[in-house]
Amino acid sequence: MRFSVFLPPQAEHRPCPVLTFLAGLTCTEETFMIKASAQRLAAEYGLILVSPDTSPRGTNFPGQADHWDFGVGAGFYVDATQQPWARHWRMYSYVTRELPEVVAAHFPADPARQGIFGHSMGGHGALVAALRNPGRYQSVSVFAPVAAPSRCPWGQKAFRNYLGANAADWRAYDASELVKAHRHPDEILIDQGLDDQFLAEQLHPHLFEKAALQSGQAVELRLHQGYDHGYYFIQSFMADHFRHHAQRIC
């Protein structure tokens, strides 16, 4: 696995909070760092910014790169149980356990202060990680998340291949199902563009909002006319997300 790290100037003098970003389909550990214009904000707030790759690479078994929305670049932040994926495609454990330990061991990080956010497939991963680990992540926000993966083509394809045909097994990685029983202690911020080409078929943030409101999970879903699924959308509201996290972990 590869990951990118940005260290703010404050890290020269003291341990800093860690904000982890999970990227979307086809992205690498560099995509967010190059496209999101986030380093200035991380420097302003004194946040270590971490961005992992979206899947293992180089395992070289047949079919791993046959589809843009499954396999390489599309780990979906789950621990696969089906062969041949189960050995290496363990992105949930990597993001929530191994990666924080590696960062804490090699960088001036404060592991007691962590936030997580993400985009699209990575928004799905951030929601799942935060809901299942509320003590690890004190803050969470997402851009255009795959909010109900069990009910969209991207998620169904990934879950069937990684987790098997039993849809009941998918609930552990579906934020709209998890939030019914696993609440995060703080408000979840969601930004969604209304001109997003994937909104109607793949994303379904309204399903997450409905389940969250029924369970008592605080959530702010902001809908933006004229914005699509891309990184210009992410850049436009990045400052709001950093402010959201800084208020909770700085």
Side-chain angles (χ1 to χ4, degrees):
M1 289 300 300
R2 297 172 62 92
F3 62 93
S4 295
V5 175
F6 171 79
L7 295 179
Q10 295 88 335
E12 296 182 6
H13 309 290
R14 55 176 171 81
C16 293
V18 178
L19 183 56
T20 299
F21 182 87
L22 304 183
L25 289 165
T26 74
C27 294
T28 73
E29 76 283 356
E30 292 187 317
T31 308
F32 174 76
M33 295 295 191
I34 293 171
K35 292 185 175 182
S37 299
Q39 290 89 337
R40 176 184 60 81
L41 292 162
E44 177 182 341
Y45 288 111
L47 293 167
I48 294 176
L49 201 55
V50 177
S51 183
D53 201 350
T54 52
S55 78
R57 298 179 192 264
T59 54
N60 297 322
F61 54 78
Q64 68 174 24
D66 289 354
H67 304 275
W68 71 271
D69 56 353
F70 174 74
V72 171
F76 265 86
Y77 304 100
V78 305
D79 282 351
T81 59
Q82 305 300 299
Q83 298 300 333
W85 311 98
R87 180 176 179 183
H88 295 293
W89 258 253
R90 304 188 59 79
M91 290 296 294
Y92 172 77
S93 291
Y94 172 69
V95 166
T96 61
R97 290 165 42 195
E98 181 179 351
L99 180 60
E101 291 173 1
V102 171
V103 170
H106 295 278
F107 299 94
D110 181 353
R113 295 184 292 164
Q114 293 195 59
I116 193 165
F117 66 151
H119 170 233
S120 194
M121 176 186 72
H124 139 74
L127 290 173
V128 169
L131 289 169
R132 290 177 58 170
N133 300 273
R136 179 180 295 275
Y137 303 106
Q138 291 81 53
S139 60
V140 56
S141 70
V142 290
F143 298 91
V146 181
S150 297
R151 286 179 273 183
C152 77
W154 283 343
Q156 291 167 355
K157 180 177 181 178
F159 286 1
R160 188 175 295 110
N161 284 280
Y162 290 140
L163 303 174
N166 185 359
D169 295 334
W170 303 355
R171 294 172 187 164
Y173 296 103
D174 187 319
S176 292
E177 295 295 328
L178 281 170
V179 76
K180 295 175 182 178
H182 300 270
R183 291 191 298 273
H184 191 271
D186 213 313
E187 184 176 68
I188 297 173
L189 173 62
I190 304 174
D191 275 317
Q192 174 64 61
L194 289 175
D195 287 0
D196 189 320
Q197 64 270 40
F198 303 116
L199 176 57
E201 184 178 24
Q202 304 284 8
L203 304 181
H204 304 310
H206 63 287
L207 294 178
F208 179 81
E209 181 186 40
K210 180 180 178 180
L213 293 176
Q214 289 175 346
S215 72
Q217 170 65 60
V219 60
E220 181 180 9
L221 173 60
R222 309 192 308 180
L223 304 175
H224 304 282
Q225 196 71 45
Y227 287 91
D228 64 11
H229 198 68
Y231 267 80
Y232 291 130
F233 159 61
I234 292 174
Q235 286 184 26
S236 297
F237 301 101
M238 185 60 65
D240 292 346
H241 285 247
F242 267 82
R243 190 178 305 111
H244 174 88
H245 290 279
Q247 288 172 350
R248 291 157 175 82
I249 64 175
C250 288

